[in-house]
Amino acid sequence: MIKISEFQAKDVVNVANGKKLGNIGDIDINLQTGQIESLIILGAGKVLGLFGREEETVIPWRNIVKIGADVILVRFNEGE
């Protein structure tokens, strides 16, 4: 069992190119089934956070390859 706060502290890394996508900002849960549908990674802040953020990245649950102690490996194509 893992707490959401522990889940959010992990780095999310794309196995396709080794790029760190960021950290989990939110989780999309299906209220009917109680299952996690996707992970939402917040976009980086622009100019010290004064001018908003870049777009969020949504990773479907099926794209998660492995959840480790410090990192979550995902398979994500930038075009999706």
Side-chain angles (χ1 to χ4, degrees):
M1 192 77 103
I2 186 170
K3 296 179 183 176
I4 291 176
S5 59
E6 294 171 3
F7 206 55
Q8 290 177 313
K10 298 176 187 293
D11 292 331
V12 180
V13 176
N14 188 356
V15 296
N17 60 12
K19 179 181 173 186
K20 178 183 171 186
L21 298 174
N23 295 89
I24 297 170
D26 208 351
I27 297 172
D28 187 20
I29 299 175
N30 182 326
L31 294 178
Q32 304 296 337
T33 63
Q35 294 180 329
I36 297 174
E37 295 284 326
S38 60
L39 305 178
I40 301 170
I41 300 168
L42 298 177
K46 296 181 181 177
V47 189
L48 302 174
L50 297 175
F51 299 105
R53 294 187 162 274
E54 294 177 11
E55 284 192 39
E56 299 173 335
T57 303
V58 178
I59 309 289
W61 185 257
R62 67 182 176 276
N63 289 22
I64 294 177
V65 176
K66 177 80 172 164
I67 299 174
D70 299 322
V71 70
I72 299 172
L73 298 177
V74 300
R75 185 165 283 110
F76 179 72
N77 295 323
E78 299 292 331
E80 284 186 1

